[in-house]
C-alpha cells in the first residue's frame, strides 16, 4: 500500500509537470504565432506598398519623358510649318536628336510619304517611300505615339510624331522622333537602371500584353497578357496584389500605368523571399528566448516535485492567457512558500510582457505612426463595430489646403510637424467618443457617432475656423476644407461606404468653392 501510494503520487506529479510544461509551451506558441501573423501581414503590406510606389515612380518618369518628347516634336513641327529660311528639315532633325538624349533618330516625311530629311544620316535614304504598314502617323495626321514596332534596320522602337500643316491649312507631312527600346535609348535606360539588392525586378508591358522590358532580356517580346498581374497593369489603373507569375511563383507585385503610351509598369518580388526574411527574424527571437524558456521549465519541473496544488492552479491559468481576468486569477492563488511565490511572479511577468508585445503590435498595425491617429486598418475595425451595433453617425472628410506648397517651401519635416499639430488639435477639439483617422498624406476622416447632419456641419465649421486661427509650426497659419456625410437609417456596409463617398464628394465641392470652407452632402438613407 505505501509503495502504491508512492507510485500514484509520483505519476500525479509527472502529470502535473507535463500539464504545466504543455500549458507554457502552448502559451508561448500561441504568442509566437500571433506575433508571426501580425508581422507577416505588415511585411506583405509594406512590400506591396513599396513595389506599387516604385512602379508609380518609374511610370511617372516614363510619362514625363514621353510628354517632353511630344512637346519637342511639336515645336519642331511648328518651325517647319512656317518654312523659315533659317530652318531646314536637315538641320531640324539634327537639332531634335542632339539637343537631348531622348531620341535615337528623327525623320521628316512629306505629303507623298517620302523621306525628306533623316538623322543620323544613312538610317534611311532620302526619297525613300515608307511602306504602307508603317504609315500610321502619315494617315492619322495627329500627334501620335505609335505602338512598338520593328524597323527595317532591325530595331524595336516607338515613334513620336506630329503633323506639319502649312499656313493655308495644307498637310505637308509630319516629323517624327524615334526612341529605340532594345538599345541604349532614353526609355531603355530608365527601365534598366534600378538599385534592387534582392530578387525584386521590374518589367513593362504594352497595351496588348507584350513584354517591352524585362530583367531577363530573352523574355522581351513574349506575350503575357493572360497573367492576372499584367491584366491589372493593362487596365491603366495602379495598385498592388499577390499573384502568381508566368513561372507559377507567388509574387508580391505593384503596378502603375504610363497613360501616354498605354503601357503598364510592374515591380514584383517573390513572396518566398519576403517570408524568408520574416522566418529568419522569428528564428532569431526563438533562439534568444530559449535560455529563458529552458530556465523557466527547469523551475517548473523543480516546483512540481515539491507541491501540487499551486502548480496545478498555475498550469490551469497559464492555458488561458487570452482571458482578460487571467492575471487576477493568478494573483489570487495562495503561494504560501517562497518558490511558489517566485514562480507566480515569473508567470505574471511573462504573460504581462507577451500581452504588452501583442498589444503593441496590434496598436502599431492600427495606428498611424506620425500622428497616433487610427489608420485605415484601425478605422475599418471601428466601422465594423458601428455596423455590428447599428450605430448611426456622421463623417467629416478633411484635407489640408495647399499642403504641397507647405512641403515645397518649408520641407517635409515641417510638413510632418504641421500634420502632427493638426492631429493634436483635432484630438483636443473633438469629443471623447469621436474617432479621428489619418487616411492619406494630409487627408483625414472624422466619425461623429450619434450625430446628425446639421450638428456635424456645425462641428465642421467650428473646427475649420479653429484650425484657421491656430498658429502652426513655421508656417504660422493653415486652412482646411471639410466635407460632411452622414447616415441615419439602416447601418450596413453599403450605407457606410456611401456616407464616406458623400463626405469625399462634399470635400471636393469645398475645394472647388475656394477652400477653407465646409460643404455637406445630402444624408444617406441607408439600405
Amino acid at each position: 500500500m505505501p509503495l502504491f501510494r508512492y507510485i500514484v503520487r509520483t505519476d500525479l506529479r509527472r502529470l502535473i509537470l507535463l500539464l504545466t510544461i504543455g500549458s507554457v509551451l502552448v502559451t508561448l506558441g500561441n504568442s509566437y504565432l500571433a506575433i508571426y501573423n501580425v508581422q507577416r501581414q505588415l511585411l506583405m503590406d509594406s512590400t506591396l506598398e513599396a513595389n506599387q510606389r516604385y512602379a508609380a515612380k518609374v511610370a511617372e518618369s516614363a510619362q514625363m519623358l514621353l510628354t517632353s518628347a511630344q512637346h519637342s516634336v511639336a515645336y519642331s513641327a511648328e518651325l517647319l510649318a512656317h518654312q523659315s529660311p533659317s530652318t531646314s528639315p536637315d538641320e531640324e532633325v539634327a537639332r531634335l536628336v542632339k539637343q537631348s538624349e531622348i531620341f535615337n533618330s528623327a525623320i521628316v516625311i512629306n505629303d507623298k510619304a517620302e523621306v525628306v530629311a533623316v538623322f543620323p544620316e544613312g538610317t534611311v535614304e532620302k526619297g525613300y517611300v515608307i511602306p504602307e504598314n508603317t504609315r500610321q502617323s502619315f494617315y492619322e495626321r495627329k500627334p501620335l505615339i505609335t505602338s512598338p514596332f520593328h524597323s527595317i534596320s532591325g530595331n524595336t522602337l516607338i515613334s513620336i510624331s506630329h503633323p506639319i500643316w502649312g499656313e493655308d491649312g495644307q498637310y505637308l507631312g509630319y516629323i517624327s522622333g524615334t526612341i529605340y527600346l532594345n538599345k541604349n535609348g532614353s526609355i531603355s535606360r530608365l527601365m534598366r537602371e534600378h538599385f534592387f539588392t534582392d530578387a525584386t525586378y521590374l518589367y513593362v508591358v504594352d497595351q496588348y500584353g507584350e513584354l517591352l522590358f524585362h530583367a531577363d532580356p530573352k523574355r522581351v517580346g513574349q506575350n503575357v497578357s493572360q497573367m492576372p498581374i499584367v491584366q491589372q497593369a493593362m487596365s491603366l489603373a495602379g495598385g498592388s496584389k499577390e499573384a502568381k507569375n508566368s513561372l507559377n511563383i507567388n509574387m508580391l507585385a505593384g503596378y502603375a500605368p504610363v497613360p501616354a503610351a498605354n503601357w503598364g509598369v510592374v515591380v514584383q518580388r517573390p513572396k518566398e523571399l519576403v517570408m524568408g526574411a520574416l522566418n529568419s527574424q522569428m528564428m532569431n527571437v526563438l533562439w534568444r528566448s530559449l535560455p529563458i524558456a529552458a530556465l523557466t521549465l527547469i523551475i517548473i519541473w523543480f516546483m512540481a516535485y515539491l507541491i501540487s496544488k499551486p502548480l496545478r492552479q498555475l498550469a490551469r491559468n497559464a492555458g488561458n492567457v487570452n482571458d482578460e481576468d487571467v492575471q487576477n486569477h493568478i494573483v489570487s492563488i495562495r503561494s504560501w512558500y517562497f518558490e511558489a511565490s517566485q514562480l507566480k511572479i515569473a508567470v505574471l511577468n511573462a504573460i504581462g510582457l507577451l500581452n504588452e508585445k501583442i498589444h503593441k503590435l496590434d496598436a502599431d498595425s492600427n495606428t498611424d505612426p506620425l500622428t497616433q491617429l487610427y489608420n485605415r486598418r484601425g478605422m475599418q475595425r471601428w466601422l465594423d463595430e458601428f455596423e455590428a451595433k447599428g450605430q448611426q453617425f456622421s463623417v467629416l472628410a478633411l484635407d489640408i489646403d495647399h499642403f504641397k506648397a507647405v512641403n515645397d517651401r518649408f520641407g517635409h519635416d515641417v510638413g510632418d510637424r504641421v500634420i502632427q499639430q493638426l492631429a493634436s488639435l483635432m484630438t483636443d477639439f473633438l469629443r471623447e467618443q469621436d474617432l479621428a483617422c489619418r487616411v492619406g498624406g494630409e487627408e483625414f476622416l472624422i466619425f461623429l457617432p450619434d450625430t446628425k447632419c446639421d450638428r456635424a456641419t456645425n462641428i465642421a465649421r467650428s473646427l475649420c475656423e479653429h484650425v484657421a486661427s491656430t498658429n502652426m509650426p513655421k508656417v504660422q497659419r493653415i486652412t482646411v476644407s471639410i466635407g460632411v456625410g452622414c447616415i441615419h437609417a439602416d447601418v450596413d456596409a453599403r450605407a457606410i461606404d456611401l456616407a464616406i463617398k458623400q463626405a469625399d464628394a462634399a470635400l471636393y465641392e469645398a475645394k472647388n468653392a475656394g477652400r477653407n470652407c465646409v460643404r455637406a452632402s445630402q444624408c444617406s438613407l441607408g439600405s
Side-chain angles (χ1 to χ4, degrees):
M1 183 67 69
L3 179 60
F4 176 78
R5 289 180 178 174
Y6 176 77
I7 294 174
V8 172
R9 192 163 52 248
T10 302
D11 289 344
L12 180 59
R13 288 173 180 173
R14 289 177 180 174
L15 180 61
I16 294 173
L17 178 63
L18 291 174
L19 178 61
T20 306
I21 293 175
S23 299
V24 171
L25 291 178
V26 168
T27 300
L28 291 174
N30 181 58
S31 300
Y32 277 116
L33 181 61
I35 293 172
Y36 176 85
N37 287 334
V38 171
Q39 291 284 42
R40 175 181 178 274
Q41 191 60 46
L42 286 175
L43 190 57
M44 288 181 59
D45 290 346
S46 63
T47 301
L48 287 169
E49 182 179 2
N51 288 348
Q52 197 277 329
R53 287 185 176 182
Y54 195 88
K57 191 70 175 178
V58 173
E60 181 183 5
S61 298
Q63 177 73 12
M64 291 174 62
L65 189 150
L66 292 172
T67 302
S68 176
Q70 286 181 304
H71 291 164
S72 297
V73 172
Y75 178 73
S76 295
E78 181 69 18
L79 293 178
L80 293 173
H82 289 84
Q83 298 181 347
S84 171
S86 61
T87 303
S88 70
D90 290 325
E91 293 174 346
E92 188 56 29
V93 292
R95 185 194 66 81
L96 186 62
V97 174
K98 291 179 179 180
Q99 73 175 354
S100 69
E101 296 183 353
I102 297 179
F103 297 107
N104 295 92
S105 64
I107 192 169
V108 175
I109 304 297
N110 64 16
D111 59 348
K112 298 181 178 60
E114 297 173 343
V115 176
V116 175
V118 62
F119 187 87
E121 294 182 2
T123 305
V124 180
E125 293 296 331
K126 289 185 179 181
Y128 175 77
V129 178
I130 60 175
E132 281 291 333
N133 61 352
T134 61
R135 295 189 181 185
Q136 182 181 4
S137 300
F138 180 79
Y139 287 129
E140 294 203 14
R141 301 186 179 185
K142 64 181 181 180
L144 183 67
I145 298 179
T146 66
S147 301
F149 63 93
H150 301 287
S151 68
I152 59 175
S153 59
N155 295 311
T156 300
L157 51 87
I158 60 172
S159 171
I160 301 177
S161 62
H162 197 283
I164 304 171
W165 298 98
E167 294 183 356
D168 56 354
Q170 180 183 0
Y171 178 63
L172 304 179
Y174 68 90
I175 182 171
S176 169
T178 58
I179 301 176
Y180 294 164
L181 303 183
N182 60 337
K183 286 189 175 182
N184 191 29
S186 52
I187 293 183
S188 180
R189 288 195 300 274
L190 172 65
M191 298 305 176
R192 287 199 314 266
E193 296 174 358
H194 306 289
F195 303 96
F196 301 128
T197 57
D198 50 24
T200 304
Y201 63 92
L202 175 148
Y203 63 87
V204 181
V205 295
D206 65 12
Q207 59 184 321
Y208 305 108
E210 183 175 317
L211 287 171
L212 303 179
F213 300 94
H214 196 277
D216 181 2
K218 296 179 181 178
R219 299 198 58 192
V220 172
Q222 291 182 7
N223 191 289
V224 291
S225 58
Q226 76 283 359
M227 291 168 50
I229 297 175
V230 173
Q231 291 172 1
Q232 293 287 341
M234 291 165 58
S235 68
L236 296 182
S240 61
K241 68 180 299 183
E242 175 187 348
K244 293 183 182 295
N245 68 359
S246 59
L247 302 178
N248 208 33
I249 299 174
N250 281 326
M251 291 287 181
L252 300 179
Y255 45 88
V258 183
N262 291 328
W263 294 351
V265 178
V266 181
V267 176
Q268 60 186 21
R269 183 183 182 192
K271 180 181 177 182
E272 181 180 359
L273 291 182
V274 177
M275 294 300 101
L278 176 60
N279 293 337
S280 176
Q281 292 176 0
M282 293 304 296
M283 287 300 298
N284 227 1
V285 173
L286 180 61
W287 282 111
R288 290 177 180 271
S289 302
L290 281 180
I292 299 298
L295 179 61
T296 302
L297 292 177
I298 291 173
I299 294 175
I300 293 175
W301 175 82
F302 179 70
M303 297 301 295
Y305 277 92
L306 297 179
I307 55 174
S308 60
K309 184 178 179 179
L311 294 180
R312 184 168 61 251
Q313 292 173 323
L314 286 172
R316 185 185 303 120
N317 284 280
N320 299 320
V321 292
N322 294 324
D323 190 345
E324 295 180 357
D325 297 327
V326 65
Q327 290 178 304
N328 294 332
H329 292 161
I330 294 176
V331 169
S332 66
I333 295 175
R334 184 183 178 188
S335 53
W336 47 271
Y337 50 90
F338 177 75
E339 290 80 0
S341 177
Q342 290 298 102
L343 181 59
K344 183 172 74 173
I345 292 173
V347 173
L348 284 171
N349 287 340
I351 293 176
L353 286 173
L354 288 172
N355 287 336
E356 182 180 344
K357 288 182 179 180
I358 293 174
H359 291 156
K360 185 177 185 304
L361 286 172
D362 183 65
D364 289 345
S365 67
N366 286 283
T367 57
D368 171 52
L370 180 64
T371 62
Q372 302 306 311
L373 300 179
Y374 286 103
N375 58 19
R376 287 184 178 274
R377 188 193 303 274
M379 179 186 77
Q380 189 58 50
R381 290 178 58 177
W382 279 97
L383 292 180
D384 291 342
E385 186 173 337
F386 286 167
E387 182 181 356
K389 293 180 179 179
Q391 186 170 18
Q392 300 172 352
F393 63 86
S394 292
V395 57
L396 311 182
L398 182 147
D399 186 274
I400 301 176
D401 296 329
H402 304 297
F403 185 69
K404 183 179 183 300
V406 174
N407 281 334
D408 292 343
R409 182 180 178 185
F410 298 99
H412 289 278
D413 289 342
V414 172
D416 288 346
R417 289 174 60 193
V418 169
I419 289 176
Q420 289 175 320
Q421 181 71 15
L422 177 60
S424 176
L425 184 150
M426 287 192 299
T427 302
D428 294 339
F429 181 86
L430 298 173
R431 302 166 300 180
E432 183 177 351
Q433 69 268 28
D434 297 334
L435 176 69
C437 308
R438 185 187 181 199
V439 295
E442 69 274 17
E443 300 170 2
F444 301 85
L445 288 178
I446 301 173
F447 296 89
L448 309 175
D450 301 320
T451 304
K452 294 184 178 180
C453 253
D454 54 352
R455 172 60 177 156
T457 303
N458 291 334
I459 292 174
R461 290 196 179 102
S462 298
L463 177 58
C464 187
E465 294 171 359
H466 187 47
V467 171
S469 64
T470 300
N471 283 331
M472 290 291 174
K474 293 283 188 183
V475 301
Q476 299 300 320
R477 292 285 192 275
I478 65 168
T479 62
V480 296
S481 299
I482 303 178
V484 182
C486 44
I487 176 172
H488 294 296
D490 295 336
V491 180
D492 56 20
R494 187 176 67 84
I496 291 174
D497 183 59
L498 179 58
I500 294 175
K501 288 180 178 178
Q502 288 178 336
D504 281 337
L507 172 61
Y508 281 110
E509 291 181 13
K511 289 285 187 183
N512 293 332
R515 296 181 170 86
N516 191 24
C517 63
V518 175
R519 290 293 183 270
S521 66
Q522 295 181 353
C523 294
S524 169
L525 298 177
S527 58

